[in-house]
Amino acid sequence: MSDLLTTTEELRPFTWQDGQLLLLDQTMLPAREEWLAVNDVPGAGDAIRNMRVRGAPATGIAAAYAMALAARNIGPTAMPVFLDELDAQAARVAAARPTAVNLGWAVQRCRDVARMCGTPAQAAARILSLAHAMREDDIDSNRAIGRNGAALMPESGGILTHCNTGALATAGYGTALGVIRAAWESSKQVHVFCTETRPWLQGARLTAWELARLGIPSTLIVDSAAGALMASGRVGAVVTGADRIAANGDTANKIGTYSLAALAAANGIPFYVAAPFSTVDIDVQCGEDIPVEERPGAEVTSLGGHPIAAEGVDVWNPVFDVTPAALITGIITERGVLRAPYEAQLRDLARQPSVTEVA
Ligand code: MRU
C-alpha cells in the first residue's frame, strides 16, 4: 500500500482504518511513503521489532492497537479463556522491544480494561476505544510538552537534537522535536542541528525530513561531530527524548545521548530531556535497572544492504544508553518542567492520572 502525504498534512505514524492498523513504514522514509496494514499480534510485533514503527510513545500506542486486534481476533469464548489468551498475546507484544517502558505500560492498561468487561466483544470494543484515547492523549501531552519547553529554548541560534522524537516517534507533534517546533511556532529563530544517529539513521532520514516539512532550518551532522559543534559555540541548548525515565531521573534514550549530555556539561550547555509521563517508570529506581536492547551486529557492519566493515569483525550494538540524572538540566513533561533532584517530583506527579485514566 502506498500513498503520498501532502507536505502540509499533519504527520501521523499510524491510523486505524476499516478495522486494521495502518503503519507508515519508517524504514522506507524518506525515499518512499508506504503504508503497511497490520491485522494481528504477530504482524504488530514484527513491525515494532523491525523498526517500521519506532519511538517510545508511538510503539506504546501501536501496542495498544495490537491488543485491540488481539481481542477481536480471539473472538467469542468464555471470559476466563479470553483473558488467558489476551495475556499471552500481551506478553508477545510487550516483548517486541525491551527498553521503552511505553510498550509494557500500554499493554497493561489494555489488560486492566479487559478485566472490567463482561464479554470478549465488549472488551474488544473497550480496548479499541482506549487505544484511540491514548493516541489523542499523547498528542495533547506533546503539545503541552512543547508549550512547557519552548520557553527554555534560546531566542535564536542552534539547538542540537538526537535520533527522531517528532510526529513519527509519537502519536503526533513530537516530544523533543515538539519543543523545538513550539519554539519555532512562538517565533524563536532557532536552527536545529540533528545528528545522523547511527546505525538506523533516524536523524538523517526522519528528523531532517520532518524539519524540512515544517520549514524549520536545520543542519545534519555525523554523530561524532557533536563535540566540535558544541565547542564552536553554535549550540544554545541540547534537547532529546526518552525511552524510560527511572524514579531518580536517570534516563534511557537512543545510544549516543549520554555522550551528548557529557559533552553539553563539558561545554556549559543546558541539556534537556522531553518526554510524556507514559515514559516515566516509577517502579525502576535508577538507570542500572533499565534493560538496554542490543540488536544484531549486521546493523553496524552493513549500510543499505552493502557491507561496510571488515568481514567477521565482532560488534557490540546497544541501541540505547542511560544518561545519569546529574547531567540533565531539566526534564520537560506535560505536567511541568522538573529540575534536580527529580525523585520526589517524579513520584508526586506520577500519581496524577492521565486523561485516559480519568475517562
Ligand atoms: O530505536 P528507536 O528509533 O525507537 O529510538 C527512539 C528514541 O530513542 C527516541 O529518542 C525515544 O523513543 C523518544 S521518541 C519521542
Side-chain angles (χ1 to χ4, degrees):
M1 202 175 306
S2 164
D3 199 4
L4 279 189
L5 286 156
T6 65
T7 42
T8 50
E9 198 178 332
E10 271 294 330
L11 203 52
R12 302 276 184 255
F14 40 61
T15 181
W16 181 263
Q17 204 175 295
D18 302 329
Q20 55 185 2
L21 178 63
L22 297 184
L23 298 175
L24 179 57
D25 186 343
Q26 298 190 30
T27 63
M28 297 293 171
L29 291 173
R32 285 211 308 280
E33 293 160 14
E34 285 193 11
W35 291 85
L36 177 76
V38 171
N39 289 296
D40 53 22
V41 163
D46 282 351
I48 293 170
R49 231 180 334 272
N50 296 327
M51 311 283 285
R52 299 188 192 283
V53 59
R54 31 79 34 213
T59 47
I61 295 156
Y65 280 112
M67 291 295 286
L69 291 167
R72 183 195 65 195
N73 293 347
I74 294 168
T77 183
M79 208 49 194
V81 177
F82 171 81
L83 290 175
D84 280 353
E85 182 53 27
L86 193 69
D87 286 351
Q89 303 224 20
R92 270 174 229 138
V93 176
R97 292 190 74 191
T99 301
V101 70
N102 306 60
L103 271 179
W105 168 84
V107 159
Q108 184 55 45
R109 294 192 56 198
C110 296
R111 293 174 66 208
D112 292 346
V113 158
R115 278 169 171 73
M116 295 189 294
C117 298
T119 65
Q122 195 190 12
R126 287 282 308 273
I127 293 173
L128 182 57
S129 301
L130 176 63
H132 291 327
M134 286 165 81
R135 181 187 63 193
E136 296 311 309
D137 190 14
D138 187 61
I139 296 171
D140 290 348
S141 295
N142 293 339
R143 289 189 179 277
I145 289 169
R147 281 192 298 276
N148 292 339
L152 303 170
M153 295 297 108
E155 283 305 318
S156 62
I159 302 174
L160 176 64
T161 192
H162 190 45
C163 194
N164 172 264
T165 59
L168 290 169
T170 61
Y173 198 79
T175 58
L177 215 56
V179 167
I180 292 170
R181 181 173 173 178
W184 174 255
E185 286 165 357
S186 73
S187 299
K188 291 194 170 181
Q189 295 303 300
V190 298
H191 186 104
V192 185
F193 290 98
C194 41
T195 54
E196 229 179 355
T197 319
R198 282 273 293 149
W200 276 86
L201 304 179
Q202 292 94 328
R205 294 187 302 105
L206 309 177
T207 301
W209 184 67
E210 283 201 43
L211 288 166
R213 280 176 56 95
L214 293 167
I216 303 177
S218 70
T219 300
L220 179 65
I221 59 167
V222 297
D223 299 329
S224 43
L229 179 72
M230 288 194 221
S232 78
R234 284 187 287 165
V235 177
V238 181
V239 56
T240 73
D243 281 81
R244 194 185 299 225
I245 300 174
N248 72 345
D250 289 353
T251 295
N253 191 51
K254 178 53 54 195
I255 189 77
T257 304
Y258 171 39
S259 317
L260 295 179
L263 285 167
N267 286 280
I269 298 168
F271 175 88
Y272 296 104
V273 167
F277 254 82
S278 55
T279 301
V280 174
D281 188 351
I282 221 66
D283 297 330
V284 158
Q285 179 54 37
C286 63
E288 269 176 29
D289 302 329
I290 299 176
V292 171
E293 178 183 5
E294 293 190 16
R295 295 182 63 95
E299 292 181 355
V300 178
T301 56
S302 66
L303 196 59
H306 300 287
I308 56 165
E311 206 181 322
V313 67
D314 182 45
V315 177
W316 180 50
N317 184 23
V319 295
F320 298 100
D321 59 23
V322 175
T323 299
L327 291 176
I328 302 173
T329 310
I331 301 178
I332 306 164
T333 77
E334 71 276 33
R335 299 177 192 176
V337 177
L338 317 185
R339 306 273 182 179
Y342 295 107
E343 183 154 356
Q345 297 166 78
L346 283 170
R347 287 195 183 280
D348 188 36
L349 289 175
R351 276 192 281 273
Q352 287 182 12
S354 72
V355 179
T356 46
E357 277 158 344
V358 174

